[in-house]
Every structure is written in C-alpha cells, then in structure tokens.
Amino acid sequence: MVLRQATFQFLRRIRPSSSYTSRQITGNALPNSLSNKLKFSCKLDRGSNTRRKNCWNPSLWIVLAGQAATIIGVNANFAIAEDASIESGSENHSEGANSGLRKIEDGSIISNSHTSKWRIFTDNGREFFLQGKLEQAEQFFSSALQEAKEGFGEKDPHVASACNNLAELYRVKKEFEKAEPLYLEAINILEESFGPEDIRVGAAFHNLGQFYLMQRKLEKALLCYERALKIKGRVLGHAHHDYAETMYHLGTVLHLQGRDKNAEALILDSIQILEEGGEGYSTLCIKRMRYLAQIYLKSNRLAEAENVQRKILHIMEISKGWDSLDTVIAAERQALTLEAIGNLDEAQELLERCLHARKSLLPEDHIQIGGNMLHIARVVMLKANKLSKMQTSEAIAELDKANDLLYNAYRIAWQVLNKVAKQKGNGQIYGAPGEARRDGHAALVILLQSLDTLGLVEINKQELKAPVEKHSTGNEAENALLNCISAYKEFANQRLISDHPDVKAQYLSCLKRLSSLINNGVRQSRKHTLQELKDEIQRVEGEVSSQRKKKQ
C-alpha cells in the first residue's frame, strides 16, 4: 500500500492523470492460446536442431561473476552475473540509435522533403549506419545536415531531423561532446516549429535521455525521460508501446539512483503495457522482466526474482522449446536462484536438464558444457554438506559425484585453452573476431573455478573420512590447488585473455585456500612456503583492488 502511494505521488509529477492504475504481471496476461499451456499461475506483485559449433552468449556466463562465493560457501548474499545498470544504459546502441532516427523522422519531417539530395544523404547515411559502417554514415549524415540548412533554412524541422541522426551516430561512437549540441539544437527547432508538447519533442527528449543515461548523467537523464513521458502520455495515451518504452527507461534511471520502489513500479507497468498489447512473449518484454529480476537479486529478494525467472522460462519453453540455447540460459538463471534460496533438488534437476539440452545442441567439448558441469557439481557439493552430519556415507557419495563433474569441467576447459593457444601460436584465426579472447577468458575462469572447487571437495571429504584416509585426501586437495595456480600462470602469461578482475579473483581464491590448507597443518607444500603464498596473496589483492577502483 505504501509503495503504491509513493509511486502514485511520483507519477503525478510527470503525467497528469487521475486514472492511474497499479499493474501486475500475471500468467493470464499472456495470449489465451498460450496461457492455457502454462503449468502454473505466475504472478509478480510489488510486495512480495541445428548443432552450433561456436555459441557465445554473454548473458550465459553467470559462472564468471561473483556467483562462486555464494555457491561454494555459506554466504547468504546472492551475487548476480550482470550489472543491471549496464544492460539498461547501453542496451543496444545501434538499435537505440535507429529507433531515434525513425521516431524523429516520423510524419511531416520526411514526407515533406523537397530536396532530393537531403533525402539521398539521409537514406544512405541510415543504410551505412545499420551496416555498422559508421565513418561512411557520418559523412552522409553531415552532408544531409548541411543540405537541410541550405535548402530549408536553419530552423526548419528537416534540420532537426538531420541533427538528431548525426547526434545518434555520435552517441554510438561515444563522441559525446559532438552529440550533445546536436540533440539540443534538434529539440529547440522542434519546440519552435511544433510547440513544446508535440510528440516529436517527446521523442527527441527520449533520445537525449538515452544519451545522458549512457554516460551515467542520471539527473539529466531523469529530467529528459520525465518530460518525454509526460508528452507521450498525453498525446499517445498511457497504454501505448512508446509510452511504456520511456517508462521503462525512466525506471532504469531510478534504479541506478537507488530509488528501487519507484523503479520497480515503473518497470512493472511497462511490462504490463506490453503484455496487454500482445507483446508479452516479445524479446523486449523478456528483457524487461530479466532486468526486474536483477533488481530483485541485487536487493536479495530471491523469491521474487525466482518468480520472475520462472515466468521467463515458461515463456521460453512455449515460444522456443528446449532446442534453443535461449531457453537453456533462462533455465540456468532460475536454477542458480533456486540454489541461492536453498532449493537444491529443483536446482540440480533444472541444471541437469540444461546439460542434456546443451549436449544435443553443442559439440561435446564446448566450453558451455564445462560450465554447466561446474554448476551441477557445486549444487551436489552443497547437498553433500547438508548430509554430512547425519549420513556420512551418502555425503561422501555425493562428493564423489561432484568430483567427477569437476574433473570433466576441468578437462573441457583445458582443451579449449590449449586449442586457443595452439591456434594463436600458429597465427590462425579462431572463429569470429574476439571469439578466441572470449572463449579463452571463459575457459580459464571455469578451469580455475573447477580446480578451486575440487580442492574444497577434497577438503570436505577429508573431514568426513576416517583418520587413516585423511593423508591421501589432503594430498589430492593440495594437488588440485597447485594445478589451479600453475594453470593461471601458464595461460594468463600467454596473454590469451585480458587479465580481468574475475580471473585474478579466482586465482586469489586458490591461493587463499592453499594457504589455509598449509596453515592448518593439513599439508606441508613442497612447492610453496606459507610466507611465499602470503606475499603473493597480498600482491594479487592489491591488483584486484586497483582494477576495481578503475572501473568505478
């Protein structure tokens, strides 16, 4: 109730409407032909067969983020893989810019064109822009702007259109100092030509809001989106697709400002508008639901996040089926949230289904399969920890299962790294541009996490086994951690991957675990003295801290 009142008060400032209704996402909002197929009634509310050889999807790699600390240890905080702010702020630059071109040019601006050169320059610029040929696009858009000023006059709407096009291109190129004056000039011309409340002015303010959001100038972005939302609400109505788009972006700004209650209400409304407009199964709607789930995860509202993820998965199952990696990724996200909640059986079942699907879609040595095995092993290890106090033999059996999964994950990651290293050494091109770096990065993190987790599995076994068996178990734990350290030095020094903080953080975890093993007297390492490890830990901690400060 408090949230609805706060949201109402907030929205009153930006849209004059007495008919604001709070919205909820429900399974019934889906098309009737599909909603009947759902196995559950999903409700979110504000209180509570082509075999692909190289399939990279950045959203898949939840294994690369801070997830490891949550899964391996008993930390109650859930670390999410994706920075929610990144997804919203830089969602798809070319898509966002193209949207800006279309919106500003709708209606009289294009249809009233009297200069063939202006039209040719504009169309050619757009064509090159959509092809990613930004230098050529810039030349044509610049020529279109010059032609518009000469042919129509400095304050003609054609000039506003040309300014907007060129500004959007500069936004994509991140030449922000060139873009901002063009955005502002376009808005001034449109306001003078059509009045301050015209829909084209609203579209221009939305584009300017995207520009500021991309730079994290949140206060300026907020003002632009509020202005755009007010105009769109009055001209288009509160159920229009474009109104929902600005509402969603305004929600992302509020989230980045830490105003999550208002952000959540706006994002929920924007999703509901899409669903009521028949777009509940669209990629755009799923993206917004995923962003909402990230907000819940960031605030440790795991049950609400899992509720959203469950709905996303069912939409993916119905629309794409399990022959799509998009469905597999959605299932894996939900499984990791289930794991954080403590629902280990369902998490394992879902992850095993993901593994089965991946094996049918990908080569058997694909790095995603290794990452999937690592996820399952961690869940199995947590189940073993639950059994350890009362059912020792069953716990050891679970740890043995985790052990096998980790060795397989390690083996696959090692093969991928060696393949990348060999091809780079031979001067060969590995897949698409940047693919070697991405695969190498993912494989190295999975390899390090597999060995680190393997060391922890062996330490846990040591605690459960009889004293006579502890010596060999301690030796295996030490060997796994030593291999982790050796692998980092070997592959990181080959410069196959950029030395990201998450790689160093995983290396640091291996160092600390080995140091603890030696410090507790379990093993006396022949290769590393305790002081050497402490010195290395201190050095790496300094590097990780420095890298993180640079990113802030």
Side-chain angles (χ1 to χ4, degrees), residues 162-448:
C163 285
N164 178 78
N165 291 347
L166 190 55
E168 290 285 277
L169 181 138
Y170 286 140
R171 177 172 71 89
V172 172
K173 292 177 68 177
K174 297 187 178 181
E175 297 181 15
F176 300 130
E177 71 286 348
K178 294 181 180 179
E180 186 171 22
L182 291 167
Y183 281 119
L184 295 174
E185 184 179 355
I187 290 173
N188 287 335
I189 293 171
L190 291 170
E191 285 184 325
E192 290 182 14
S193 300
F194 303 108
E197 302 302 317
D198 186 83
I199 188 59
R200 284 158 288 204
V201 175
F205 271 110
H206 178 95
N207 290 340
L208 184 58
Q210 286 182 298
F211 169 75
Y212 287 133
L213 177 57
M214 189 174 179
Q215 300 172 79
R216 294 301 184 267
K217 295 181 178 179
L218 300 182
E219 282 300 326
K220 289 185 175 182
L222 180 72
L223 293 174
C224 289
Y225 285 134
E226 285 182 344
R227 178 74 181 276
L229 191 66
K230 181 179 179 181
I231 294 172
K232 288 183 178 183
R234 187 181 60 259
V235 177
L236 302 175
H238 298 152
H240 195 277
H241 178 281
D242 281 352
Y243 179 80
E245 181 185 5
T246 299
M247 180 183 286
Y248 169 72
H249 282 85
L250 178 57
T252 64
V253 172
L254 293 172
H255 169 61
L256 294 174
Q257 290 182 324
R259 299 161 66 181
D260 281 348
K261 288 185 177 181
N262 286 330
E264 178 187 331
L266 289 171
I267 293 169
L268 278 165
D269 266 16
S270 75
I271 292 170
Q272 183 70 18
I273 290 170
L274 289 182
E275 289 185 324
E276 291 177 352
E279 298 182 70
Y281 277 53
S282 67
T283 301
L284 187 62
C285 190
I286 291 171
K287 178 180 178 179
R288 292 180 188 179
M289 285 191 280
R290 190 178 295 127
Y291 189 84
L292 180 63
Q294 289 182 353
I295 292 177
Y296 291 146
L297 290 173
K298 193 172 181 180
S299 59
N300 208 35
R301 294 158 64 183
L302 302 183
E304 289 166 281
E306 195 274 327
N307 193 15
V308 181
Q309 291 170 334
R310 187 178 293 271
K311 179 172 184 180
I312 292 171
L313 176 56
H314 277 263
I315 291 174
M316 300 303 296
E317 285 179 315
I318 292 170
S319 61
K320 294 192 175 184
W322 281 86
D323 290 334
S324 168
L325 284 175
D326 291 336
T327 303
V328 175
I329 292 167
E332 191 164 37
R333 289 175 184 274
Q334 186 191 350
L336 293 179
T337 306
L338 286 167
E339 174 190 340
I341 291 172
N343 192 342
L344 300 181
D345 288 334
E346 188 176 355
Q348 182 179 348
E349 181 182 352
L350 207 49
L351 286 171
E352 287 176 347
R353 189 172 183 186
C354 290
L355 181 60
H356 177 76
R358 280 196 171 103
K359 286 181 175 180
S360 69
L361 294 168
L362 302 170
E364 61 182 7
D365 60 348
H366 197 284
I367 191 58
Q368 290 189 24
I369 292 176
N372 206 149
M373 289 177 172
L374 172 61
H375 282 150
I376 298 173
R378 287 169 168 168
V379 174
V380 170
M381 189 177 69
L382 288 175
K383 291 175 69 175
N385 290 343
K386 283 190 172 184
L387 294 169
S388 61
K389 293 182 179 180
M390 302 294 295
Q391 299 168 284
T392 302
S393 59
E394 288 84 350
I396 292 174
E398 290 292 303
L399 290 174
D400 286 337
K401 182 178 179 180
N403 191 84
D404 292 340
L405 287 162
L406 290 167
Y407 269 117
N408 279 318
Y410 164 78
R411 173 185 56 79
I412 291 172
W414 187 271
Q415 288 175 349
V416 171
L417 284 166
N418 279 323
K419 182 178 179 181
V420 173
K422 183 178 179 180
Q423 291 188 344
K424 184 178 180 182
N426 294 336
Q428 298 176 3
I429 298 175
Y430 182 94
E435 191 169 318
R437 182 174 295 272
R438 291 194 300 264
D439 280 3
H441 175 74
L444 182 55
V445 174
I446 290 171
L447 184 144
L448 296 179

Side-chain angles (χ1 to χ4, degrees), residues 430-479:
Y430 182 94
E435 191 169 318
R437 182 174 295 272
R438 291 194 300 264
D439 280 3
H441 175 74
L444 182 55
V445 174
I446 290 171
L447 184 144
L448 296 179
Q449 289 185 352
S450 297
L451 288 171
D452 187 25
T453 310
L454 189 60
L456 183 58
V457 166
E458 295 297 343
I459 291 171
N460 288 347
K461 277 188 187 179
Q462 170 189 304
E463 298 298 323
L464 294 173
K465 288 186 175 181
V468 70
E469 299 178 87
K470 287 189 176 182
H471 178 80
S472 61
T473 303
N475 187 54
E476 290 174 4
E478 181 187 7
N479 287 338

Side-chain angles (χ1 to χ4, degrees), residues 29-45:
L30 305 174
N32 292 334
S33 60
L34 294 174
S35 62
N36 292 334
K37 298 180 183 179
L38 294 179
K39 299 178 181 178
F40 69 107
S41 175
C42 178
K43 181 179 181 181
L44 314 179
D45 73 37

Side-chain angles (χ1 to χ4, degrees), residues 17-40:
S17 172
S18 60
S19 58
Y20 172 77
T21 56
S22 68
R23 302 175 186 270
Q24 294 178 328
I25 306 174
T26 67
N28 293 333
L30 305 174
N32 292 334
S33 60
L34 294 174
S35 62
N36 292 334
K37 298 180 183 179
L38 294 179
K39 299 178 181 178
F40 69 107

